[in-house]
Amino acid sequence: GSCDENYGEYLIDMESYLDAMLQYKYEEQTEYCTACNTCYQNQGYANDDANAEDDGCGKFDVNSCYKECLNIDNMESNGY
């Protein structure tokens, strides 16, 4: 078995793989930023809500993820 035989044979071509991965990462990022933005908008109410711990926002550093998502939005607005 040398490198001259049986290399580069994949189930899907590289372009299809990259398209699928980009789509997956985009959807993952969109879900993350949607959840983060919801938590950011609701953080002022969290102190008044006895069930605030159950809202799923505990997994976020809300200020950090909000800034990250704003940067992503700005990059997308500028064509990146």
Side-chain angles (χ1 to χ4, degrees):
S2 70
C3 292
D4 294 331
E5 299 174 9
N6 296 324
Y7 68 93
E9 295 180 20
Y10 302 99
L11 294 176
I12 61 172
D13 62 283
M14 186 60 72
E15 184 176 351
S16 297
Y17 170 77
L18 291 175
D19 285 344
M21 287 304 301
L22 285 172
Q23 182 64 31
Y24 171 77
K25 287 294 187 184
Y26 177 78
E27 290 172 5
E28 184 179 55
Q29 173 187 308
T30 300
E31 289 176 15
Y32 172 78
C33 287
T34 298
C36 174
N37 289 337
T38 299
C39 291
Y40 182 81
Q41 291 171 358
N42 293 337
Q43 74 181 351
Y45 304 106
N47 294 333
D48 298 333
D49 186 358
N51 294 322
E53 296 171 2
D54 298 331
D55 65 2
C57 293
K59 63 184 175 185
F60 291 104
D61 175 353
V62 176
N63 290 323
S64 176
C65 72
Y66 184 73
K67 288 176 186 175
E68 177 185 350
C69 291
L70 281 179
N71 286 337
I72 291 168
D73 284 345
N74 288 336
M75 288 176 61
E76 287 177 352
S77 296
N78 290 315
Y80 292 98

